Amino acid sequence: MKWSQFFNTSIGKKLLVGATGLFLCSFVIVHLAGNLALLKADEGEAFNTYAAFMSHNGLIQFIAWGLKIVILIHAILAFQLTFRNRAARPVKYAVNPGNQTSSWFSRQMAIMGSILFVFLCIHLKDFWWMMHYGEMNEKTYEGMLHPVRDLYDATRVAFKEPLVVAIYVIGMIGLSFHLIHGFKSAFQTFGLNHVKYNGLINFVGVWLFGVLIPVGFAIIPLAIYFKLV
């Protein structure tokens, strides 16, 4: 079987979803580390410097565009698998056996994934597009030869709007539920789950990716909105 044919099968698609999902897990860690600079009381120097570096470094930009492609591939394949599974069982069971054979998180993956995808589109429009193509004030810090775009101020202005904060918190709830199931599922797809390591995989999937990272992202708009920073 050719590779193109293999990746058109359910197993091939699941492997691609798992691989792209694990790659995106590594990205959210890096993204959170940079975004936490928004909470630093330095008039935005740390965050604006970070944003400027990410926006002008050629290698980072290449990876960033690759990341967007990976997100799109991950979403398309995940939806294809969901619709294929539903098409294979067009008539629902009179009694849903999912409560016994799968977790609640796995049964809500399509919903949570949809919420997360909508959130990502809003996020890219509000900040990524604004950073690269929108009108934005510039700021110069001591020791800098050139001014940088003041994304720090634009972000803080945005997070003073309750609707924007609500969208981000809901998006992080979707991320949390998506990661709790997705992280463990990726290891199962690759056959890497083992009784010796399942406890660690579950711990990392639930507490690091499912709780700590989404809470870390959600704290930023909440802290700005309630003027804690």
Side-chain angles (χ1 to χ4, degrees), residues 3-157:
W3 283 107
S4 58
Q5 294 175 321
F6 173 71
F7 285 118
N8 196 41
T9 65
S10 293
I11 295 176
K13 290 179 184 294
K14 286 181 179 179
L15 287 173
L16 280 175
V17 169
T20 53
L22 289 177
F23 173 75
L24 294 174
C25 283
S26 63
F27 163 74
V28 295
I29 295 177
V30 176
H31 194 48
L32 175 60
N35 283 7
L36 286 175
L38 283 163
L39 303 180
K40 192 173 182 180
D42 62 351
E43 298 183 352
E45 180 174 359
F47 182 72
N48 283 337
T49 302
Y50 156 77
F53 172 76
M54 298 293 284
S55 299
H56 294 92
N57 183 280
L59 177 60
I60 296 296
Q61 282 302 296
F62 176 79
I63 295 173
W65 278 106
L67 177 68
K68 294 175 181 65
I69 295 173
V70 168
I71 291 174
L72 194 59
I73 291 173
H74 183 82
I76 291 173
L77 292 177
F79 281 121
Q80 285 181 346
L81 286 171
T82 298
F83 292 134
R84 180 176 292 186
N85 291 339
R86 290 181 178 177
R89 194 183 68 224
V91 179
K92 292 184 178 181
Y93 294 120
V95 178
N96 185 3
N99 294 333
Q100 298 176 0
T101 60
S102 61
S103 69
W104 182 88
F105 296 104
S106 66
R107 297 193 299 276
Q108 310 305 320
M109 282 294 281
I111 296 175
M112 295 302 170
S114 299
I115 292 173
L116 188 55
F117 186 76
V118 171
F119 162 77
L120 284 173
C121 292
I122 294 173
H123 178 67
L124 288 172
K125 179 187 74 68
D126 286 349
F127 296 108
W128 178 84
W129 181 268
M130 179 63 68
M131 179 66 181
H132 289 83
Y133 307 109
E135 294 183 3
M136 189 177 296
N137 295 328
E138 293 186 336
K139 204 165 187 178
T140 303
Y141 298 100
E142 185 177 353
M144 285 188 176
L145 297 177
H146 304 286
V148 295
R149 308 202 81 188
D150 195 0
L151 185 60
Y152 173 84
D153 183 65
T155 302
R156 294 183 71 88
V157 169

